[in-house]
């Protein structure tokens, strides 16, 4: 995901936080097993007003609406595949500054080249899935650089429906629902704190955990998908990411596209070989899904979520990230000064909290 700290804004979650405290309404306080009665952070100092508070901006938190609308686009019958895409985990990618966003020029040639690679790996996954019997393809633009608009719209498979743009509810798993038959991931990266290429997770300083289990960004998407019965069939990224996914999602097909030797370097496997391997893995994944061989990875409810915000964010921005509007998160000072926990029975709420954290750092 990344490209944080480019556009900073202050946040007036004060309204959300104090309303929550006083009324005990909203998601956090009232929900069963969801952070009820827990202390929330004191209101932000006056004057730290967010110019675009999420409540005033359509599309930051409306995940219910997104799901309802996407369900209507899924044709009955056939086999629908939901593909989460990112860029840091693409074949050939090593450099965050030049390759992952448009850069200062607004048109970095390296970024453009890797938009092509993103589209190529995506098209390989779609072609492979189609060979396995898939008939519908829903694609999530999950890379924050260029505001979640990186797939080349003129070169992507003509059957692909793109979930594109920012803001967008639950940006890494927008609208995932029970009508999808399988999830796949291309171009994602290892978790924050893992030795791998451009390893990170949202704006977090360390891995988010669910019931103590570490989940990276695509792991969170798969966790939300699993709540709707959507199994994870195939993933592609560097060897560190591959190891993480094999550990948490053992029944998924895993394609290694490069071998990390630092956070910004390693051995890059040839593009043609990677595309062929992604295509073959996607075919196998659909066939195994149809044969009922893919295992759903689910967690016991209520989910106990823990995360820490990166230390690099300036205090005003951190203050916003620390008060996701409508969620009674609890400070977890035992884990660190910028750490929190939250309990919920709804996986989509984790996607939304991460979306609100993202919104604090990334404005269109
Ligand atoms: Zn990314």
């Amino acid at each position: 995901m990344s490209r944080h700290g480019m556009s900073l804004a202050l946040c007036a979650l004060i309204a959300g936080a104090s309303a929550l405290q006083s009324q005990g309404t909203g998601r956090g306080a009232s929900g069963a097993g969801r952070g009820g009665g827990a202390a929330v952070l004191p209101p932000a100092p006056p004057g730290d007003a967010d110019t675009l508070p999420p409540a005033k901006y359509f599309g930051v938190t409306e995940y219910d609406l997104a799901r309802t609308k996407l369900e209507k686009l899924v044709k009955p019958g056939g086999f629908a595949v939901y593909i989460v895409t990112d860029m840091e985990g693409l074949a050939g990618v090593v450099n965050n500054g030049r390759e992952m966003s448009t850069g200062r020029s607004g048109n970095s040639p390296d970024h453009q080249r890797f938009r092509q690679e993103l589209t190529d790996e995506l098209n390989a996954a779609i072609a492979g899935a189609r060979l396995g019997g898939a008939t519908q393809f829903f694609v999530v633009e999950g890379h924050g650089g260029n505001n979640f608009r990186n797939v080349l719209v003129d070169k992507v498979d003509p059957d692909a429906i793109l979930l594109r743009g920012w803001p967008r509810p639950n940006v890494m798993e927008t609208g995932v629902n029970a009508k999808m038959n399988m999830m796949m991931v291309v171009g994602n990266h290892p978790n924050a704190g893992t030795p791998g290429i451009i390893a990170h997770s949202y704006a977090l300083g360390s891995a988010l955990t669910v019931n103590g289990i570490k989940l990276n960004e695509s792991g969170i998407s798969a966790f939300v998908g699993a709540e709707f019965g959507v199994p994870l069939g195939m993933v592609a990224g560097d060897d560190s990411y591959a190891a993480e996914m094999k550990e948490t999602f053992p029944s998924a097909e895993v394609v290694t596209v490069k071998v990390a030797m630092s956070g910004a370097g390693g051995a890059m496997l040839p593009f043609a070989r990677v595309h062929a391997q992604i295509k073959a893995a996607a075919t196998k994944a659909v066939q195994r899904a149809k044969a009922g061989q893919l295992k759903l990875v689910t967690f016991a409810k209520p989910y106990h979520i823990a995360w820490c915000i990166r230390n690099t964010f300036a205090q005003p921005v951190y203050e916003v990230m620390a008060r996701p509007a409508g969620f009674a998160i609890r400070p977890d000072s035992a884990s660190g000064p910028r750490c929190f926990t939250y309990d919920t029975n709804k996986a989509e709420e984790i996607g939304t909290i991460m979306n609100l954290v993202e919104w604090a750092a990334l404005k269109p």
Side-chain angles (χ1 to χ4, degrees), residues 1-3 85-89 96 100 142-145 148 150 172 187-189 198 200 217:
M1 179 174 289
S2 95
R3 195 174 95 81
T85 69
D86 203 345
M87 292 184 74
E88 290 88 352
N96 193 25
M100 291 299 95
H143 179 62
F148 302 92
N150 294 292
M172 295 281 304
N188 202 232
H189 44 76
I198 318 177
H200 69 281
E217 278 178 10

Side-chain angles (χ1 to χ4, degrees), residues 2 87-88 90 92-101 108 110-111 114 143 197-198 258 263-266 268:
S2 95
M87 292 184 74
E88 290 88 352
L90 294 172
V93 167
V94 291
N95 183 289
N96 193 25
R98 290 178 175 282
E99 299 170 355
M100 291 299 95
S101 71
S108 149
D110 289 349
H111 177 239
F114 284 109
H143 179 62
I197 293 173
I198 318 177
K258 56 191 173 185
M268 309 295 117

Side-chain angles (χ1 to χ4, degrees), residues 170 173 202 208-210 215 220 223-224 303 305 307 327 342 344 346-356:
N170 289 19
E173 61 278 335
Y202 291 96
L208 175 138
T209 61
V210 176
L215 291 180
I220 295 168
F223 164 53
V224 178
Y303 308 125
I305 318 296
W307 69 95
F327 294 92
Y342 180 70
T344 179
K346 214 173 176 179
E348 280 173 311
E349 289 200 341
I350 298 147
T352 298
I353 290 173
M354 290 301 113
N355 234 43
L356 286 160

Side-chain angles (χ1 to χ4, degrees), residues 76-326:
F79 188 96
V81 180
Y82 187 88
I83 308 170
V84 176
T85 69
D86 203 345
M87 292 184 74
E88 290 88 352
L90 294 172
V93 167
V94 291
N95 183 289
N96 193 25
R98 290 178 175 282
E99 299 170 355
M100 291 299 95
S101 71
T102 52
R104 292 186 195 293
S105 68
N107 189 21
S108 149
D110 289 349
H111 177 239
Q112 279 307 105
R113 175 62 190 85
F114 284 109
R115 292 182 66 188
Q116 179 66 58
E117 178 56 21
L118 167 62
T119 309
D120 291 343
E121 291 189 23
L122 171 57
N123 283 347
I126 292 175
R130 186 183 281 119
L131 270 181
T135 56
Q136 299 175 72
F137 310 94
F138 298 88
V139 176
V140 174
E141 288 249 27
H143 179 62
N146 204 26
N147 283 316
F148 302 92
R149 301 172 301 123
N150 294 292
V151 172
L152 299 175
V153 292
D154 297 327
K155 296 187 175 161
V156 68
D157 188 288
D159 288 338
I161 292 178
L162 292 178
L163 292 150
R164 194 166 191 270
W166 173 251
R168 185 165 26 92
N170 289 19
V171 74
M172 295 281 304
E173 61 278 335
T174 309
V176 69
N177 62 77
K179 291 188 176 182
M180 303 296 171
N181 298 98
M182 189 184 78
M183 183 183 283
M184 300 196 291
V185 180
V186 295
N188 202 232
H189 44 76
N191 218 332
T194 298
I197 293 173
I198 318 177
H200 69 281
S201 181
Y202 291 96
L204 307 183
S206 57
L208 175 138
T209 61
V210 176
N211 299 355
I213 306 286
K214 288 181 179 176
L215 291 180
N216 58 31
E217 278 178 10
S218 51
I220 295 168
S221 301
F223 164 53
V224 178
E227 195 163 276
F228 293 98
V230 184
L232 181 64
M234 190 274 287
V235 300
D238 77 6
D239 58 333
S240 300
Y241 169 75
E244 282 178 0
M245 296 310 279
K246 277 181 187 149
E247 190 184 329
T248 320
F249 299 90
S251 79
E253 299 290 326
V254 177
V255 177
T256 299
V257 306
K258 56 191 173 185
V259 175
M261 294 169 186
S262 78
M268 309 295 117
L269 302 180
F271 290 142
R273 186 198 300 183
V274 165
H275 301 163
Q277 287 178 348
I278 288 176
K279 186 176 177 183
T283 302
K284 199 170 169 199
V286 174
Q287 290 167 340
R288 290 182 53 230
K290 284 175 171 260
Q293 293 171 356
L294 293 182
K295 301 275 172 295
L296 269 187
V297 174
T298 57
F299 294 76
K301 291 183 179 183
Y303 308 125
H304 180 69
I305 318 296
W307 69 95
C308 303
I309 302 287
R310 219 179 290 165
N311 290 328
T312 49
F313 286 104
Q315 190 62 22
V317 176
Y318 162 69
E319 292 280 348
V320 178
M321 294 174 169
R323 291 179 181 78

